[in-house]
Amino acid sequence: MEQAILRAAAEELTASGYAGMTMDKVAQRAGTNKNAIYRRWPQRAALGVAAYKYLADARIPTPDTGSLRGDALDLLRRANATWSSPRGAILRDLLSAAADEPALLELLRAQAGGGAMNAAWFTLISRAVARGEAPPEAVQPRVAALPMMLLRGEYALRGVPAVPDEILVEIVDEIFLPLVRGRGMTD
């Protein structure tokens, strides 16, 4: 039932946006009633964020190009393409709604700290360690989160859903790779 509700909510987000997503519409799509939804998600904001996470996590393949630089660029480019796609429009819609719904912003912040995207970055760094491209100390939560945080910052700074590729290359070459490779160094 939970998967049916998440799928229905994701479909409703895609079709109507967050503003148009109602518990009634989701219940109808899922073939259930609102009580079944409210038992799992006590508010519309929680369901909206869970549905977005369901959409986002379902589509994050971890690249394996054979090098940390290649993997990082591939993953950052995929994220950039996703955020400028209709799925990215859903996230932007949720962020816009968060101005009027503080609970939504809290839920989005909580989701930003984990999930499939962070797991993908951990995998990239772990593979780099196994290949001898990075020290074991590089497998650290803040290091793994950094490229996506910088990408989000570019969106906020530019106010557009797509960041130019040269900025992605700069994030990887000038910030991420030096940080990863320098993690094991001591003074």
Side-chain angles (χ1 to χ4, degrees), residues 84-167:
S84 61
S85 74
R87 201 165 7 121
I90 293 169
L91 179 58
R92 292 189 304 277
D93 188 32
L94 288 168
L95 289 169
S96 290
D100 298 324
E101 222 173 311
L104 181 59
L105 184 58
E106 269 314 302
L107 290 164
L108 287 167
R109 280 187 185 136
Q111 289 300 323
M117 184 56 79
N118 271 3
W121 285 97
F122 269 108
T123 299
L124 298 187
I125 298 169
S126 296
R127 285 183 190 151
V129 169
R131 287 190 301 260
E133 288 183 89
E137 295 84 1
V139 184
Q140 201 264 2
R142 292 209 185 268
V143 173
L146 183 69
M148 296 307 295
M149 296 301 286
L150 292 170
L151 185 59
R152 286 184 193 112
E154 287 293 325
Y155 289 131
L157 179 68
R158 296 175 186 282
V160 295
V163 173
D165 194 66
E166 60 268 12
I167 300 294

Side-chain angles (χ1 to χ4, degrees), residues 28-102:
Q28 185 177 15
R29 274 188 193 261
T32 190
N33 60 50
K34 290 192 305 185
N35 290 337
I37 297 171
Y38 281 114
R39 276 194 300 272
R40 292 165 175 86
W41 298 277
Q43 63 210 38
R44 187 173 74 107
L47 179 60
V49 171
Y52 177 76
K53 184 177 182 327
Y54 172 85
L55 280 171
D57 285 356
R59 295 181 176 95
I60 302 178
T62 304
D64 191 1
T65 65
S67 75
L68 179 57
R69 182 180 189 275
D71 291 348
L73 280 171
D74 190 351
L75 193 54
L76 209 53
R77 285 174 175 147
R78 288 182 195 189
N80 194 35
T82 296
W83 288 358
S84 61
S85 74
R87 201 165 7 121
I90 293 169
L91 179 58
R92 292 189 304 277
D93 188 32
L94 288 168
L95 289 169
S96 290
D100 298 324
E101 222 173 311

